[in-house]
Amino acid sequence: MNQRPNVPELGIHASPRFGHRKALHAHWSKSLEILFVLPIVFIIGIMIVFPTASGIVHSFTNWNPGYGSPWVGIGNYVSLIKSSMFQEILGNQAFLLLGLPVWTLLPLILAVMLYEGVPGSGIFRSIFFFPSTASPAIIGILFSFILAPTGIVNSVLHFVGLGSLAQNWLVSPALVKPVLIVVIGWATLGTGIVIFSAALSAFPPELIEASTIDGASWGYRFWFVILPSLWTVIELWVVILVVSVFTAMFPWIFTLTRGGPGYASTTMDYDIYQNALTYGYFGTAAAETIYLLVILAVILAIINWIFRRLKGV
Amino acid sequence: MSKRGRLARTVFMVIAVIPFLYPFVFLVGTAVKPLTEFQQNSISLPSHPTLKNLVDAWTQAQLGPALFNSIVAVFAGVFLTVVISVLGAFWFYRHRGRIATTVKIVLIGTMAVPPPVFIIPLYVLLSNWGLSNNLLVLGVVYAAWNGSFGLYLMHAYYVQSIPDEVLEAATVDGANLFQQFYRIVVPLSKPALATLAALTFVWSWGDLLLSSVMIQDPAHRTLIVAAALLTNRFNTDIPANASAALIALVPMLLVFLILQRYLVRGISLGVGK
């Protein structure tokens, strides 16, 4: 910066206070500047960086807070991967990922329809968006009533004469994971719509108009015009969803299934909580968090690779 | 675009929105329904609406104190998140050396460390120091959890909307960092601060994991934890549980209605947790 900007015009030069304090305080105020950054460094350092490092170290021990923590090497990792429960939990995580296409396409289709013009679109968007911002724990409680044996779903089925289809939705090992996929889709839809709407509002209208004049059908337009130009924001949304499936399932599982029946709906984050706080296996819980981070990193790398190909970069 | 298409889209939207409205109607209807009536027919409109369930949930399940606890922890969390994010983001905006940049990347990078990863070791650490079961400490935990996002958001905002020249000019005139911050940066930050505060509020108020780990003492439970613990499959008094869920939901609905604009803006920035 060689040229001095036109300071008086910015109205700062006019202030007398800046100049007269300068001589008195210049030196110590310079060294006090560090005070700006110390709070966030301390808080994140103590509350997140240090515990994460401590968790990594303790994942190699038989961690007993308050007592000794003997070194066990990779013992926790080996016993976890050999345990059939942990294998089932990994299977559950993989199953939940099957929801990704639905969780992505539904909000995208709705966002496109809102973008193309619906009267009162702001109200519709708000109604979809509210469940996304409400606490997952409260929405989970709400769905526990809806899916209870005497809940709305079964009552409606009986009411329309389809009582034979009524199920104990959250207690059936075969149904519990598909049901979770539906609930998560319901709860994430609004955020997806908001994100896609933001991307669409930056979308060149000529593109859509051109294809409309060409007589292209809605489906053609969606698949071949809109979808390919949104890969970047779709990738972002998929990443958010995948991270949520691995790290934000706790409130859903806690309020809907407690991981059951058996371990049929236990996720890694819920199991980490259980291992540490219910069973006191802190070392196992620590090793499980490292597994979680590694698996997540691998999946995100795969997603990045897939989208790079889709974008043709 | 054609009129017919517009009509079709509108009809589709009206149908699509039903599954997103009805559960909340059901929640309110159930909360004011006597238990015996609910057991006979769970989906009918309540024929004898009562406030008994709501009163019971409020008094017996201790939701009043829990609401107070939530307010303490969440307001402390939002306040602290905003303060440390703004101060930190401004410092990093003015200090772009190699060390400062590395520290900034590490701090923002903690966004990649989700709560399940740090919460157990953090709980062990804080209980060793006798700091578990403390609502203000829970607020600090919320600030640590949201601070990385806050730093990222505010820093991006400063890069975008506060030209270097303005601050350079102030420096040349002898304004120190405190004066620049107070006179120039804070007044310009208000829109981004509202967005950060709104998102932090929603995330912290709705949190179940961090508060249920950090607060074990029933007297210090937050509202969401109290409501979630009340509801489990062994408790079949659904109207009572629905009342608890409704009480926990109302503050979020109010905040949503007031701050929706800022929430949409924050999420539209293409970032989320």
Side-chain angles (χ1 to χ4, degrees):
Chain A
M1 189 121 345
N2 297 323
Q3 208 175 353
R4 214 181 119 169
N6 190 358
V7 177
E9 206 175 290
L10 293 163
I12 292 156
H13 193 72
S15 163
R17 292 182 66 186
F18 285 138
H20 99 139
R21 284 198 177 173
K22 183 183 168 190
L24 211 57
H25 300 308
H27 181 68
W28 64 260
S29 77
K30 191 77 189 163
S31 50
L32 280 178
E33 283 180 7
I34 197 81
L35 288 177
F36 277 87
V37 77
L38 283 183
I40 194 163
V41 168
F42 267 110
I43 288 181
I44 292 187
I46 292 172
M47 299 267 167
I48 296 183
V49 178
F50 178 76
T52 305
S54 154
I56 294 172
V57 172
H58 283 100
S59 72
F60 299 104
T61 69
N62 187 359
W63 193 7
N64 249 323
Y67 303 91
S69 297
W71 193 261
V72 294
I74 57 167
N76 293 321
Y77 291 89
V78 174
S79 56
L80 259 178
I81 205 75
K82 280 186 177 165
S83 117
S84 59
M85 285 176 280
F86 185 65
Q87 290 164 10
E88 188 176 354
I89 290 165
L90 292 180
N92 295 341
Q93 294 286 171
F95 193 107
L96 289 177
L97 291 179
L98 296 177
L100 284 173
V102 187
W103 298 335
T104 307
L105 277 178
L106 277 183
L108 185 54
I109 291 171
L110 287 165
V112 169
M113 292 178 98
L114 289 169
Y115 169 77
E116 289 180 338
V118 172
S121 60
I123 295 169
F124 287 117
R125 203 171 290 139
S126 296
I127 295 172
F128 291 125
F129 188 42
F130 174 61
S132 280
T133 61
S135 165
I138 299 303
I139 301 296
I141 294 173
L142 175 54
F143 269 89
S144 73
F145 313 145
I146 291 171
L147 298 163
T150 56
I152 305 180
V153 175
N154 284 349
S155 301
V156 169
L157 286 172
H158 281 292
F159 186 73
V160 298
L162 291 170
S164 58
L165 292 177
Q167 301 283 342
N168 204 340
W169 302 99
L170 295 171
V171 184
S172 150
L175 286 172
V176 68
K177 285 188 283 284
V179 165
L180 280 174
I181 288 180
V182 173
V183 173
I184 293 162
W186 187 91
T188 53
L189 187 93
T191 303
I193 290 179
V194 166
I195 287 181
F196 290 134
S197 295
L200 283 166
S201 66
F203 197 80
E206 310 87 54
L207 255 181
I208 289 202
E209 271 159 30
S211 61
T212 316
I213 294 163
D214 288 349
S217 71
W218 194 89
Y220 181 91
R221 234 176 25 241
F222 183 80
W223 283 109
F224 296 103
V225 181
I226 295 177
L227 203 63
S229 49
L230 291 180
W231 284 136
T232 308
V233 69
I234 294 173
E235 177 178 9
L236 172 79
W237 178 236
V238 169
V239 167
I240 291 173
L241 288 171
V242 170
V243 171
S244 305
V245 161
F246 279 89
T247 68
M249 285 300 103
F250 177 80
W252 300 110
I253 306 302
F254 189 91
T255 52
L256 286 168
T257 68
R258 298 280 168 118
Y263 285 85
S265 66
T266 306
T267 54
M268 291 182 88
D269 60 345
Y270 186 74
D271 196 47
I272 289 167
Y273 170 90
Q274 289 269 80
N275 271 328
L277 294 182
T278 309
Y279 308 123
Y281 302 149
F282 284 85
T284 310
E288 198 170 357
T289 63
I290 309 304
Y291 270 127
L292 186 151
L293 282 178
V294 171
I295 293 170
L296 194 54
V298 170
I299 293 179
L300 293 182
I302 294 171
I303 287 171
N304 182 259
W305 179 81
I306 292 173
F307 276 91
R308 272 221 307 267
R309 301 209 49 166
L310 284 171
K311 283 183 261 186
V313 181
Chain B
M1 274 160 228
S2 75
K3 251 199 166 120
R4 216 170 52 116
R6 194 178 168 85
L7 181 69
R9 283 195 299 274
T10 309
V11 171
F12 182 89
M13 276 299 153
V14 170
I15 295 170
V17 100
I18 292 172
F20 291 83
L21 275 180
Y22 184 69
F24 295 107
V25 176
F26 172 78
L27 181 69
V28 177
T30 306
V32 298
K33 214 178 208 181
L35 178 61
T36 48
E37 195 186 326
F38 180 82
Q39 284 162 341
Q40 281 155 19
N41 187 343
S42 62
I43 51 172
S44 67
L45 286 173
S47 56
H48 300 92
T50 168
L51 289 178
K52 182 178 174 297
N53 299 318
L54 285 161
V55 174
D56 284 356
W58 184 260
T59 52
Q60 286 168 18
Q62 298 288 309
L63 291 186
L67 175 69
F68 176 76
N69 294 339
S70 276
I71 290 173
V72 171
V74 172
F75 277 78
V78 171
F79 177 75
L80 205 54
T81 304
V82 167
V83 169
I84 65 173
S85 304
V86 173
L87 290 174
F90 178 57
W91 192 86
F92 285 116
Y93 184 57
R94 298 298 283 154
H95 294 81
R96 299 171 201 173
R98 192 135 44 101
I99 297 172
T101 306
T102 311
V103 174
K104 182 183 79 191
I105 291 171
V106 170
L107 291 178
I108 292 178
T110 61
M111 262 199 276
V113 182
V117 171
F118 66 77
I119 187 60
I120 300 298
L122 176 60
Y123 166 69
V124 172
L125 178 77
L126 293 181
S127 358
N128 282 344
W129 293 348
L131 291 175
S132 60
N133 286 322
N134 185 320
L135 291 163
L136 291 175
V137 173
L138 180 61
V140 182
V141 173
Y142 286 150
W145 172 42
N146 292 308
S148 50
F149 171 75
L151 178 64
Y152 167 79
L153 182 79
M154 296 312 300
H155 189 265
Y157 181 78
Y158 292 154
V159 169
Q160 197 183 40
S161 61
I162 301 186
D164 267 337
E165 292 78 35
V166 174
L167 298 176
E168 291 298 335
T171 311
V172 170
D173 277 3
N176 64 34
L177 209 62
F178 297 89
Q179 292 162 333
Q180 293 175 19
F181 179 73
Y182 187 72
R183 295 257 184 121
I184 302 170
V185 174
V186 171
L188 284 174
S189 303
K190 278 176 187 154
L193 283 184
T195 299
L196 176 61
L199 285 171
T200 308
F201 179 90
V202 166
W203 286 331
S204 309
W205 187 272
D207 159 66
L208 180 71
L209 178 62
L210 297 175
S211 56
S212 61
V213 173
M214 295 308 305
I215 308 285
Q216 311 270 338
D217 173 10
H220 289 92
R221 270 180 198 145
T222 56
L223 185 57
I224 302 293
V225 176
L229 286 174
L230 194 65
T231 317
N232 60 56
R233 66 187 120 153
F234 307 111
N235 184 348
T236 51
D237 186 353
I238 289 185
N241 300 342
S243 303
L246 184 61
I247 291 170
L249 193 67
V250 167
M252 297 168 106
L253 181 62
L254 292 177
V255 168
F256 178 81
L257 292 174
I258 299 168
L259 298 179
Q260 190 192 172
R261 195 155 62 93
Y262 297 104
L263 295 170
V264 168
R265 190 188 296 161
I267 289 181
S268 312
L269 286 172
V271 279
K273 281 229 156 175

